[in-house]
Structures are given as C-alpha cells and as structure tokens.
C-alpha cells in the first residue's frame, strides 16, 4: 500500500459515501472499494444458507468455502464467480449485514481483502472503519455525516421509495442499523481523530465531491 494514495471515507448510512467515493475515484482516476458491499456479500451468503447472521460459529465454515471479490471500480461484487451485486440491497440482506458485520470472524475475514485493493496509484475506500482500522495511515480520511431525516430522504430516493409512511419506516430501520454500527465492540463507526468531518446536510452532492477532490489535490501537492 506504500505508494498508493488512499482516501478513506466513513460515515453512517445515507450520508452520501458511495456516490461521493465513486465520483471522486472517477475524477482522479483512482480505483474504488465499496466495503459495505463486501459485508453485504457475506450477509447474502448467510441468508442463502439459512444461517443466523448473529451466530459467530457458522461464519467460519461458510466463509472458508467462498472467495469474495470486487471489480476495481467498486461497482460489481462477486461470491466465487457469481455476480451478486443486484442481490445485495434488499431489506433482508441489509439487516443481516448489520448483524453479521458486528462479528469479529466476519471483520477479520475481510480485512486483508480490503487492504489488498491498495495497489495502484490511488484508491478511494468507503465504509465504517476505513480510517480507524483498515487504512489507519490513509493519506486522507473523511467522515461524512448528515442529519437522520436527510439521510433517510437520500436513501429513499436511491431506492425509489415515496410516501411518508415508507420513508418513516426506512428512517427507523436505518437508525437501528446505525445504532448497531456505532455501539458494536469491534470497529465501531466513529470518525478517526485525524479525519476531516463534513456535515453534508445542507450540501449538494457536487459540493461534497468537490470538497474531497480539492483536499486530495492539495495534499498531493504538499506531498511532492
Ligand atoms: O455501507 P453499507 O450500507 O452498504 O453497509 C452495509 C452494512 O455493513 C452496514 O450495516 C454496516 C456494515 N459495514 C461495516 O460494518 N463496515 C464497513 N467497513 C462497511 C459496512
């Protein structure tokens, strides 16, 4: 990872991490890693096996038989050679991912896979513990946040949901998953001490992307 410029973007669901990470990577010609999709792929494996996603004992044997991978742009995720991207965003998989990602066996199984992505000129990674655990020496750490209602609104738009009742249900599910992410013992969601914290509640997506790209460019200049 030594020569790879790593941009670590963390934050709660709906803060705009994925869209920002992909746009920043594209703008800079960097690779991109969607670590949440890796956790979702593990969750899908557990759901399909009919396993309890909170049961540490079933995870090891199931993971031993499978290879998880992702395309360099972070867009496509594979279980062995099967492209599972379109199966990862259902409510069932989201809930299972939130539970199974708290298990130490799941986190340790994915850590080297994530670090191995840092090979080229640059990599944008997004998730919950990119700056705190997986890439503690990242060249830039960003923590994206936004208030709860705004995050539910954004995620609702992404999922094509409309109507107050549906958005309220989505907001409540997201709040519960965030609570789990923030309170788990291993790699809880929190900003790294040296991260740039951006509250994006009143920012447009383009403003957030520009802020991150400009920060990368100025740090690259300083490093020269
Ligand atoms: O970012 P996402 O919504 O796709 O993440 C899915 C789940 O995985 C979510 O519950 C948080 C968890 N996750 C994690 O624990 N660590 C990461 N680095 C990325 C995601």
């Amino acid at each position: 990872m030594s020569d790879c410029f790593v941009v670590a973007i963390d934050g709660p669901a709906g803060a705009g991490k994925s869209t920002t990470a992909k746009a920043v990577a594209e703008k800079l010609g960097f690779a991109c890693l969607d670590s949440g999709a890796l956790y979702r792929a593990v969750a899908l494996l557990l759901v399909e096996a009919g396993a309890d996603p909170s049961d540490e004992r079933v995870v090891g044997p199931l993971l031993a038989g499978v290879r998880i991978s992702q395309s360099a742009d972070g867009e496509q995720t594979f279980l062995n050679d099967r492209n599972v991207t379109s199966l990862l965003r259902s409510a069932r998989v989201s809930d299972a991912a939130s539970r199974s990602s708290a298990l130490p066996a799941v986190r340790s199984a994915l850590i080297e896979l994530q670090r191995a992505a840092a090979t080229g000129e640059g990599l944008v990674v997004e998730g919950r513990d990119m700056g705190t655990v997986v890439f503690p020496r990242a060249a830039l750490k960003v923590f994206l946040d936004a208030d709860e209602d705004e995050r539910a609104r954004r995620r609702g738009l992404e999922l094509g949901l409309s109507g107050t009742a549906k958005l309220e249900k989505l907001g409540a599910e997201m709040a519960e998953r965030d609570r789990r992410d923030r309170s788990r013992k291993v790699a809880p969601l929190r900003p790294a001490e040296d991260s740039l914290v951006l509250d994006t509640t009143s920012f447009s997506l383009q403003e957030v992307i520009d802020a991150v790209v400009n920060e990368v460019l100025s740090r690259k200049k300083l490093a020269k």
Side-chain angles (χ1 to χ4, degrees):
M1 116 167 219
S2 52
D3 291 337
C4 183
F5 191 104
V6 175
V7 181
I9 303 181
D10 290 304
K17 299 184 303 289
S18 290
T19 325
T20 303
K22 279 167 190 159
V24 169
E26 199 172 325
K27 177 102 189 168
L28 297 168
F30 287 4
C32 190
L33 181 80
D34 174 355
S35 67
L38 303 178
Y39 284 95
R40 286 172 182 272
V42 172
L44 178 68
L45 185 71
L46 295 169
V47 165
E48 288 186 338
D52 173 357
S54 310
D55 186 350
E56 183 102 48
R57 290 164 308 177
V58 300
V59 170
L62 276 174
L63 281 174
V66 80
R67 192 169 35 82
I68 299 172
S69 59
Q70 196 169 85
S71 58
D73 60 4
E75 300 273 8
Q76 311 292 328
T77 302
F78 302 84
L79 275 180
N80 292 325
D81 292 328
R82 178 178 160 224
N83 188 334
V84 293
T85 313
S86 65
L87 305 175
L88 300 181
R89 314 228 47 108
S90 69
R92 182 129 185 250
V93 169
S94 298
D95 183 68
S98 159
R99 293 171 196 280
S100 56
S101 62
L103 302 175
V106 171
R107 304 208 73 84
S108 60
L110 293 181
I111 204 156
E112 285 314 318
L113 175 64
Q114 295 171 78
R115 288 184 177 150
T119 53
E121 185 207 342
L123 173 71
V124 184
V125 289
E126 59 101 348
R128 306 293 189 287
D129 61 340
M130 299 295 99
T132 50
V133 175
V134 183
F135 294 103
R137 299 182 59 201
L140 172 62
K141 299 177 187 176
V142 180
F143 192 87
L144 291 187
D145 211 344
D147 74 30
E148 244 174 50
D149 288 348
E150 174 61 14
R151 292 192 288 108
R153 192 191 67 80
R154 290 178 189 171
R155 186 48 66 84
L157 273 179
E158 232 173 70
L159 296 171
L161 293 182
S162 59
T164 316
K166 279 188 186 159
L167 284 180
E168 273 176 7
K169 181 165 178 280
L170 176 69
E173 287 166 359
M174 285 171 64
E176 172 58 19
R177 294 204 299 270
D178 280 346
R179 190 197 57 72
R180 263 187 228 136
D181 290 345
R182 289 182 205 269
S183 62
R184 69 181 171 223
K185 289 208 177 73
V186 200
L189 169 66
R190 62 175 175 81
E193 270 169 28
D194 50 350
S195 63
L196 175 69
V197 178
L198 292 178
D199 180 342
T200 70
T201 307
S202 54
F203 283 17
S204 70
L205 188 57
Q206 195 55 51
E207 285 171 321
V208 179
I209 295 164
D210 290 346
V212 178
V213 168
N214 289 338
E215 191 62 33
V216 171
L217 295 178
S218 70
R219 289 191 189 204
K220 281 194 121 191
K221 221 183 257 168
L222 280 179
K224 269 189 189 154

